[in-house]
């Protein structure tokens, strides 16, 4: 009898152990399922946000496709160069009026004068490149070299060409005043001569050669200063 009772108690203990194990697994499974829910929700949330990211990327892609004049005017380097040149051309009218006492609106599209518009434009572009891309970029030394060549050309080559034009104008005026309508052919001229100005001095064009071609060093430095100021304002 006692052995039977102990046997039943053992079976009951085994049943209780199995029951507890089942409850533990059930609870554990519920806990696992509850723990998984946030990750599933988070995964769903991330999936739902992808269309929003794509939607936000559409204006950026559309902005990147802007072309033509809109893209050009959105370029700070171009804006700096353009306004440096435009302001220099406008200032030429006022500086010429101050120095000569008359308003010459042709200076709006003329070379030479105060300040140098070519220098102003190149320095404006170079300064803008330095501000936007840095002094270590490969664009800056290229722009700097181009600017220095333009400044040298304005203050030396074109300035000397203007002085040559002025001297030629004086010589032609003197010749026409002293020789009148006489036919004075240069020595060695023949009928087959193909000179672009003709076979005689009388064939020279009536209009004078343009004398204002280059700039003085002061005009070049003034143009450079204007370009730097405009570039800082544009960038």
């Amino acid at each position: 009898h006692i052995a039977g009772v102990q046997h039943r108690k053992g079976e009951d203990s085994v049943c209780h152990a199995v029951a507890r194990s089942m409850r533990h697994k059930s609870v554990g499974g519920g806990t696992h399922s509850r723990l998984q829910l946030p990750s599933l929700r988070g995964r769903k949330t991330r999936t739902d946000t992808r269309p929003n990211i794509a939607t936000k990327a559409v204006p950026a892609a559309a902005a990147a496709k802007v072309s033509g004049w809109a893209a050009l005017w959105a370029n700070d380097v171009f804006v700096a160069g353009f306004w440096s040149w435009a302001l220099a051309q406008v200032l030429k009218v006022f500086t010429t009026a101050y120095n000569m006492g008359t308003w010459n609106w042709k200076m709006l599209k003329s070379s030479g004068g105060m300040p140098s518009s070519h220098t102003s434009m190149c320095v404006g572009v170079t300064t803008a490149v330095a501000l936007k891309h840095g002094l270590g970029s490969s664009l800056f030394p290229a722009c700097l070299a181009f600017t220095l060549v333009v400044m040298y050309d304005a203050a030396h080559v074109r300035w000397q060409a203007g002085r040559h034009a002025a001297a030629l104008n004086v010589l032609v005026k003197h010749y026409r005043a002293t020789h009148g309508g006489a036919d004075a052919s240069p020595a060695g001229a023949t009928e087959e001569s193909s000179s672009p100005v003709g076979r005689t001095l009388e064939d020279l064009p009536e209009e004078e050669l343009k004398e204002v071609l280059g700039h003085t060093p002061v005009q070049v430095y003034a143009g450079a200063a204007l370009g730097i100021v405009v570039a800082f304002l544009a960038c």
Side-chain angles (χ1 to χ4, degrees):
H1 177 72
I2 294 173
V5 172
Q6 290 178 348
H7 179 71
R8 286 195 297 271
K9 287 183 178 179
E11 292 178 351
D12 293 340
S13 62
V14 172
C15 291
H16 287 302
V18 173
R20 285 196 302 270
S21 177
M22 294 297 293
R23 287 196 299 269
H24 177 71
K25 290 182 178 179
S26 177
V27 173
T31 304
H32 177 72
S33 62
R34 287 195 296 271
L35 291 175
Q36 291 299 322
L37 287 176
S39 64
L40 291 176
R41 294 194 187 97
R43 193 177 303 167
K44 184 177 180 181
T45 302
R46 289 193 296 270
T47 303
D48 292 340
T49 56
R50 289 175 185 172
N52 295 335
I53 296 174
T55 303
K56 292 180 181 179
V58 170
K65 293 181 179 179
V66 175
S67 59
W69 290 105
L72 192 61
W73 285 106
N75 190 330
D76 292 337
V77 176
F78 169 79
V79 171
F82 174 80
W83 285 114
S84 297
W85 168 82
L87 289 176
Q89 289 297 130
V90 172
L91 287 175
K92 286 181 182 182
V93 177
F94 294 93
T95 56
T96 302
Y98 177 80
N99 294 327
M100 307 299 295
T102 57
W103 292 94
N104 184 5
W105 297 104
K106 292 182 178 179
M107 294 302 296
L108 286 173
K109 58 182 183 63
S110 177
S111 60
M114 176 72 172
S116 171
S117 60
H118 293 118
T119 300
S120 180
M121 178 182 64
C122 293
V123 172
V125 169
T126 302
T127 305
V129 168
L131 294 175
K132 299 292 290 186
H133 302 283
L135 298 178
S137 67
S138 58
L139 288 175
F140 177 74
C143 294
L144 181 62
F146 176 76
T147 298
L148 293 177
V149 170
V150 170
M151 294 174 67
Y152 179 86
D153 177 76
H156 293 84
V157 179
R158 289 194 292 124
W159 175 251
Q160 291 297 327
R163 295 181 64 182
H164 293 169
L168 289 174
N169 287 334
V170 172
L171 291 176
V172 171
K173 286 181 180 180
H174 177 73
Y175 168 79
R176 287 175 175 163
T178 54
H179 292 77
D183 184 9
S185 299
T190 62
E191 292 297 330
E192 290 78 14
S193 176
S194 58
S195 173
V197 296
R199 292 183 295 273
T200 66
L201 294 178
E202 296 297 331
D203 296 329
L204 291 174
E206 294 293 332
E207 65 274 9
E208 294 183 354
L209 300 175
K210 182 176 174 57
E211 300 178 7
V212 182
L213 297 174
H215 301 275
T216 64
V218 175
Q219 294 172 346
V220 172
Y221 296 147
L226 177 61
I228 293 174
V229 171
V230 173
F232 272 94
L233 294 176
C235 299

